[in-house]
Amino acid sequence: MAELPPRYPRDFYGHGPDRPDAAWPGGARIAVSFVLNYEEGGENSILHGDPASEAFLSEIVGATPWPGQRHWNMESIYDYGTRAGFWRLHRLFTETRVPVTVYGVATALARSPAQVEAMQDADWEIASHGLKWIDYKDHSEADEAVDMDAAIALHTEVTGEPPTGWYTGRCSVNTVALAATRGFDWISDTYDDDLPYWAQIDGRDQLIIPYTLDCNDMRFATPQGFNAGDQFFAYLRDSFDALYAEGKAGRPAMMSIGLHCRLVGRPGRVQALRRFIEYVQGHEGVWCARRADIAAHWGAHHPPQRRTNWHQLDRAAFVEKFGGIFEHSTWVAEGAHALELGPAHDTAQGLHNALCRVFRVASDDKRMEVLRAHPDLAGKLAAAKRLTEDSTAEQASAGLDALTDEERHQFDTQNSAYVAKHGFPFIIAVKDHDKAGILRAFERRIGNDTSTEFAEACKQVERIARLRLEALG
């Protein structure tokens, strides 16, 4: 297979303008997922074999790593999460009977047996947050894979069960693909949607449940973040209200809330979380669920559907499939195949844009060739059954294959007059009209100057192309 031209891997289309009905249990208008990141004891520390101390997500905003040294204050802040913050949050969630998913760093879980037992007693889902809470952006794919396997093994030792969900957080470009090969029910290392979705990774359908960095208490520890609990509550409430309204309008989505023991577990912040839980519980039609529950629901109600991968077709297959979209003009498809195509072009809308780009930048002479390649409406080629399959179906859709003698005479007369004046056939997207409407358009447009008609005919050619692509499904 010949090498493909540039292909863009990011998917800007996703669920598209009409996202699917999530069909949440009980007709819920929104699914809410509370996630507790358990990282304390897995952060960067020379005690953990790391070259420097932790510098991320603590009360010391703007902290820098201390190479070769223990950072006593940083360690103490993280220790607060295990000693006090976790238990405060555990009481809150168990008292309010809200299910929780834990993103558990394996080494942190191993150092916190009491907390792990409490998680399990509360029936919290414990997903994997990696071996250590470190940044993998500069790790090789092989080294990251070693740590991932070690995380799964240690997680299984500590909890008694292998993790079924994965979130690295400080990930690399390889993380999602590496996790997908290890058979997780869900992966959350994306922030790109309000609903779960299926990704095709190495031939496997992998469920992705996007996570959040905005509805996240981490913003208490970042510049331009939350300074007070009221700000956190207001942001969560507004996010919930927006999604709840969308669900009420028939477009249910999900909301993730990211939490950390050492951050929202502080007394000055936890009340904001409590108020939000009470606010959520004051609404009907809310499904608070663990991510495992969301994954099971999505798999049962929205199984993977293989999307078209038109952008991955080689040149010959692409031209064979789309060479006739612009009548007898394969050069348009050839030009589109050479563009930087990606998943966003795997729809009629996206591919139409690519084909039209090639057509629009072509010379007037080349575009005129496309116009002249179109047959007359109900003309001699139609009578001789020599139209393309697309043109035959299009003309039949408007009843042009079943004309009376009088109607045939009208079309013959109009066709001849139009071509004599403008030098190319009268072109109109017949699927948008009936016979009477087409004849009215003939009468209206024949009086235009040729430059105006050339522009209009080109627009109609693009419209015909769009309808042909939509017919492909």
Side-chain angles (χ1 to χ4, degrees):
M1 177 176 168
E3 185 176 345
L4 288 173
R7 291 296 180 258
Y8 195 72
R10 293 162 63 188
D11 184 356
F12 291 152
Y13 188 79
H15 289 300
D18 299 313
R19 69 188 184 207
D21 180 356
W24 298 132
R29 297 168 181 172
I30 185 173
V32 179
S33 167
F34 289 90
V35 174
L36 182 61
N37 293 264
Y38 198 84
E39 300 157 347
E40 293 82 359
E43 79 279 8
N44 281 285
S45 170
I46 62 170
L47 292 176
H48 306 156
D50 302 305
S53 63
E54 186 57 68
F56 192 43
L57 294 190
S58 79
E59 303 302 324
I60 311 172
V61 178
T64 57
W66 289 11
Q69 299 183 59
R70 292 177 64 185
H71 192 316
W72 189 261
N73 289 346
M74 182 65 72
E75 289 180 12
S76 183
I77 288 171
Y78 270 73
D79 292 350
Y80 182 90
T82 64
R83 296 161 59 103
F86 172 81
W87 298 110
R88 183 170 289 120
L89 294 173
H90 184 269
R91 288 191 295 272
L92 172 60
F93 283 118
T94 54
E95 288 169 6
T96 55
R97 298 184 179 180
V98 172
V100 173
T101 292
V102 176
Y103 288 166
V105 174
T107 50
L109 296 175
R111 295 181 175 112
S112 298
Q115 290 86 345
V116 170
E117 184 173 289
M119 295 173 194
Q120 293 176 323
D121 288 346
D123 197 27
W124 291 0
E125 173 191 16
I126 308 178
S128 183
H129 197 3
L131 179 65
K132 300 166 67 173
W133 194 62
I134 60 177
D135 199 335
Y136 280 91
K137 69 181 179 64
D138 295 322
H139 280 57
S140 69
E141 183 175 0
D143 286 345
E144 185 175 358
V146 168
D147 276 8
M148 192 172 286
D149 290 335
I152 295 168
L154 182 56
H155 185 109
T156 305
E157 287 179 22
V158 172
T159 69
E161 296 179 343
T164 59
W166 183 272
Y167 174 75
T168 294
R170 299 157 84 173
C171 63
S172 77
V173 71
N174 300 310
T175 301
V176 172
L178 286 171
T181 63
R182 282 153 176 80
F184 291 105
D185 290 345
W186 57 268
I187 298 170
S188 283
D189 272 302
T190 71
Y191 312 94
D192 53 3
D193 215 300
D194 295 316
L195 280 179
Y197 62 89
W198 295 97
Q200 295 177 26
I201 303 174
D202 291 332
R204 181 179 187 271
D205 292 308
Q206 175 63 59
L207 183 62
I208 305 294
I209 304 182
Y211 188 46
T212 178
L213 294 181
D214 66 314
C215 293
N216 195 310
D217 68 357
M218 66 178 286
R219 293 182 61 194
F220 282 117
T222 59
Q224 297 300 313
F226 303 125
N227 293 318
D230 287 345
Q231 295 173 343
F232 185 45
F233 169 73
Y235 192 85
L236 294 183
R237 180 200 60 207
D238 289 349
S239 299
F240 175 88
D241 286 349
L243 294 171
Y244 189 81
E246 291 177 10
K248 200 171 181 180
R251 297 183 299 277
M254 67 170 290
M255 177 181 180
S256 296
I257 299 99
L259 307 168
H260 299 76
C261 300
R262 65 191 176 279
L263 296 177
V264 80
R266 291 280 175 175
R269 297 172 182 145
V270 75
Q271 288 301 93
L273 178 60
R274 180 181 292 276
R275 289 199 300 274
F276 178 68
I277 290 173
E278 292 171 350
Y279 184 77
V280 167
Q281 292 181 332
H283 288 72
E284 64 176 359
V286 178
W287 183 41
C288 289
R290 304 172 307 174
R291 292 174 104 72
D293 304 320
I294 293 171
H297 172 86
W298 201 263
H301 293 268
H302 300 279
Q305 302 291 324
R306 287 289 178 175
R307 289 176 55 178
T308 57
N309 284 310
W310 292 339
H311 75 285
Q312 293 291 353
L313 293 175
D314 64 29
R315 185 174 183 272
F318 188 91
V319 173
E320 181 181 0
K321 189 170 186 67
F322 303 113
I325 297 298
F326 280 71
E327 192 85 359
H328 295 298
S329 302
T330 57
W331 61 268
V332 179
E334 291 167 356
H337 187 263
L339 297 176
E340 182 197 71
L341 303 182
H345 297 97
D346 289 339
T347 64
Q349 180 186 54
L351 189 55
H352 180 252
N353 180 267
L355 293 165
C356 287
R357 285 174 57 190
V358 176
F359 179 65
R360 290 167 187 168
V361 300
S363 67
D364 286 352
D365 288 344
K366 290 290 288 182
R367 287 189 291 162
M368 181 63 81
E369 289 178 12
V370 177
L371 302 189
R372 289 174 176 163
H374 277 261
D376 288 333
L377 296 181
K380 294 178 181 179
L381 290 177
K385 301 188 182 300
R386 292 172 53 197
L387 299 180
T388 65
E389 185 176 338
D390 284 330
S391 291
T392 299
E394 288 157 2
Q395 296 205 19
S397 72
L400 302 189
D401 61 338
L403 299 177
T404 65
D405 290 342
E406 181 181 349
E407 288 171 337
R408 187 171 291 104
H409 176 71
Q410 284 181 288
F411 273 94
D412 287 344
T413 301
Q414 295 281 29
N415 280 329
S416 297
Y418 188 93
V419 173
K421 179 173 182 180
H422 298 301
F424 50 86
F426 177 78
I427 300 173
I428 190 170
V430 294
K431 283 191 174 181
D432 291 335
H433 305 274
D434 56 17
K435 284 185 289 187
I438 293 170
L439 286 169
R440 287 195 297 271
F442 251 131
E443 294 168 0
R444 182 180 69 253
R445 287 172 49 186
I446 197 169
N448 291 335
D449 61 80
T450 297
S451 63
T452 298
E453 270 307 287
F454 180 81
E456 179 61 29
C458 287
K459 289 180 181 179
Q460 292 297 320
V461 164
E462 292 186 8
R463 175 61 181 161
I464 292 167
R466 177 61 175 268
L467 293 170
R468 289 179 176 180
L469 286 169
E470 289 176 355
L472 287 177

